[in-house]
Amino acid sequence: MRDQLLAHWAQLAPRERIMVIVAGTALTLTLLFLLVWEPLVQTRQQRAAALDGARAVAVRLEEIAAELGPAAQQSRPTVPAGALLATVDRAARAGLGDTPPSRIQPEQDREVRVWIDEIAFENLLRWVDELEQKQGVRAQTIDLERGEQPGRVNARLTLVRAS
């Protein structure tokens, strides 16, 4: 095949060879532009537009937070001093159902450590969210280990009063 192409090339007149070289170069440059350069430019434009949209959302969220700042802090429930342990224990009994904590330990006046074994990950997340939203208690630290069954974890939490 290569020998045939070289033989055909040798039979071309010098003027025809120049035309083939120019046409091949033009075709190569066109393909590079259409297959490489243009997709890169389009991707960059799409990412820039997505970034602009995300920035606009962030600015709007900051505006909303500024408007609601004092009101949002006042509406959040607070846990009275000394009641954190009782609040967490009561919430665990109500919110965790079939997977009660294996251990609840008070640490200082503002912290409670909770150990929960083999709990469904989704249930744990739901419970932590309810604690923060309804009781004013947030998770300061959460350590998770994979449980024996799929979708289950062993959790160690440090819970504190939301300030």
Side-chain angles (χ1 to χ4, degrees):
M1 177 79 169
R2 183 174 180 225
D3 292 335
Q4 290 175 345
L5 286 175
L6 288 175
H8 186 66
W9 178 261
Q11 291 177 355
L12 291 176
R15 189 178 216 182
E16 292 173 332
R17 288 182 190 166
I18 291 173
M19 288 175 39
V20 169
I21 290 172
V22 169
T25 303
L27 179 63
T28 301
L29 291 175
T30 302
L31 287 175
L32 280 174
F33 177 78
L34 292 175
L35 298 177
V36 176
W37 184 257
E38 187 65 22
L40 287 175
V41 169
Q42 287 178 354
T43 300
R44 184 173 183 268
Q45 289 173 344
Q46 289 171 350
R47 288 186 178 172
L51 181 60
D52 290 342
R55 283 182 179 155
V57 168
V59 167
R60 182 63 184 137
L61 288 175
E62 287 176 1
E63 290 171 357
I64 292 171
E67 291 172 9
L68 297 177
Q73 292 298 328
Q74 291 172 358
S75 67
R76 175 172 282 173
T78 58
V79 178
L84 181 60
L85 178 63
T87 301
V88 170
D89 185 49
R90 189 172 46 254
R93 292 173 200 242
L96 295 177
D98 66 335
T99 314
S102 58
R103 183 172 163 196
I104 299 177
Q105 174 183 343
E107 295 284 327
Q108 304 167 357
D109 186 36
R110 295 181 46 90
E111 284 185 10
V112 173
R113 292 182 189 251
V114 180
W115 286 260
I116 307 170
D117 296 322
E118 290 296 320
I119 184 170
F121 182 69
E122 295 168 358
N123 292 347
L124 177 68
L125 292 180
R126 189 175 304 115
W127 181 67
V128 170
D129 183 55
E130 285 178 14
L131 270 176
E132 185 167 359
Q133 298 300 321
K134 295 179 181 174
Q135 306 297 330
V137 176
R138 69 175 179 81
Q140 185 176 29
T141 61
I142 299 177
D143 294 319
L144 301 174
E145 295 175 0
R146 182 177 292 162
E148 294 178 10
Q149 297 176 355
R152 295 203 167 259
V153 295
N154 297 323
R156 308 296 174 257
L157 299 96
T158 302
L159 304 172
V160 296
R161 287 186 196 96
S163 24

